[in-house]
């Protein structure tokens, strides 16, 4: 009878590679995770002097704000869009995905408030993140009554344009509010009620 063979050991290098791949996958899931109650809200770090509210709304004093990045590309309707065209307006940037239940819950509120505040110099911009196909995203907008543009961002690259140390989007949904100078003034990392959404926007409308 032949002696039993000892089980083969996986090379240490292969194990380390597998661990690295797993860690990267987990990191991607954290970035694209669909948040619910906003309990993971955190500051941008890097010395940003933000004020963390008890209602999961983070704001930045005017003197400490940093410029938002240019957000450009194709919309869900396949039209070219560049956020610099909104210069001089208060801009609400909402990062969403049609697969995200909290996004679906807040979408009708965003549609309503965007229409009501347009005459006051407030513009809305969506970023449709992590949607592999446009069909579901277009149906999402139609169901919610959203008429403002949404940039199509299936790889989530636009989220990474926000500067480190700022109130950048760290989850889906995220809402970033820019002042009239195009600087980041506030953020939420959770689905917003109308009251909380207006609380982020209203102070910026009359700001000089």
């Amino acid at each position: 009878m032949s002696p039993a063979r000892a089980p083969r050991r996986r090379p240490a290098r292969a194990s380390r590679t597998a661990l690295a791949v797993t860690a990267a996958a987990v990191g991607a899931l954290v970035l694209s995770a669909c948040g619910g109650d906003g309990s993971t809200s955190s500051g941008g770090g890097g010395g940003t002097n933000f004020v963390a509210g008890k209602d999961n709304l983070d704001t930045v004093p005017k003197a400490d704000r940093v410029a938002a990045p240019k957000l450009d590309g194709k919309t869900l309707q396949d039209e070219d869009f560049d956020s610099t065209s909104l210069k001089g307006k208060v801009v609400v940037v909402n990062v969403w995905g049609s697969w995200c239940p909290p996004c679906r819950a807040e979408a009708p509120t965003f549609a309503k408030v965007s229409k009501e505040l347009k005459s006051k110099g407030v513009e809305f911009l969506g970023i449709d993140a992590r949607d592999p196909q446009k069909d579901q995203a277009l149906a999402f907008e139609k169901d919610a009554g959203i008429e403002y543009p949404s940039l199509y961002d299936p790889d989530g690259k636009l989220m990474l344009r926000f500067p480190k140390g700022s109130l950048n989007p760290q989850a889906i949904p995220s809402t970033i509010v820019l002042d009239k100078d195009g600087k980041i003034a506030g953020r939420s990392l959770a689905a917003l009620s109308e009251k909380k959404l207006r609380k982020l926007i209203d102070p910026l409308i009359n700001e000089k």
Side-chain angles (χ1 to χ4, degrees), residues 165-185:
S166 70
L167 291 182
N168 50 359
Q170 297 175 3
I172 300 174
S174 286
T175 299
I176 309 293
V177 182
L178 313 182
D179 64 20
K180 297 174 185 177
D181 295 322
K183 295 184 177 181
I184 302 171

Side-chain angles (χ1 to χ4, degrees), residues 109-179:
T109 294
F110 277 71
K112 175 178 181 289
V113 175
S114 67
K115 294 168 187 174
E116 293 177 353
L117 295 185
K118 190 174 183 65
S119 62
K120 294 186 177 182
V122 180
E123 295 288 343
F124 280 61
L125 172 64
I127 297 179
D128 175 29
R130 308 291 186 180
D131 262 325
Q133 297 180 348
K134 289 184 179 180
D135 292 348
Q136 290 182 337
L138 289 167
F140 173 100
E141 287 194 325
K142 183 178 180 180
D143 290 343
I146 291 175
E147 297 179 357
Y148 54 83
S150 283
L151 289 166
Y152 184 50
D153 188 28
D155 298 323
K157 292 180 179 179
L158 289 176
M159 296 173 67
L160 302 179
R161 289 189 185 181
F162 284 81
K164 293 181 179 180
S166 70
L167 291 182
N168 50 359
Q170 297 175 3
I172 300 174
S174 286
T175 299
I176 309 293
V177 182
L178 313 182
D179 64 20

Side-chain angles (χ1 to χ4, degrees), residues 4-138:
R5 292 184 179 181
R8 288 185 178 182
R9 292 186 177 181
R10 296 179 63 186
R13 183 176 180 180
S15 297
R16 288 195 296 269
T17 301
L19 287 172
V21 171
T22 301
V26 171
L29 285 173
V30 170
L31 179 61
S32 63
C34 194
D37 60 5
S39 59
T40 59
S41 177
S42 62
T48 298
N49 295 319
F50 73 95
V51 179
K54 294 180 180 179
D55 48 8
N56 297 315
L57 303 180
D58 300 329
T59 57
V60 184
K62 188 173 183 179
D64 297 324
R65 295 171 191 165
V66 298
K70 181 173 77 170
L71 301 171
D72 61 340
K74 292 286 187 179
T75 68
L76 285 170
Q77 288 72 28
D78 204 33
E79 297 176 351
D80 292 321
F81 185 87
D82 186 331
S83 63
T84 58
S85 64
L86 303 178
K87 185 178 180 180
K89 306 283 189 178
V90 174
V91 180
V92 181
V93 181
N94 179 239
V95 184
W96 60 274
S98 65
W99 43 267
C100 170
C103 300
R104 291 197 295 270
E106 71 176 1
T109 294
F110 277 71
K112 175 178 181 289
V113 175
S114 67
K115 294 168 187 174
E116 293 177 353
L117 295 185
K118 190 174 183 65
S119 62
K120 294 186 177 182
V122 180
E123 295 288 343
F124 280 61
L125 172 64
I127 297 179
D128 175 29
R130 308 291 186 180
D131 262 325
Q133 297 180 348
K134 289 184 179 180
D135 292 348
Q136 290 182 337
L138 289 167

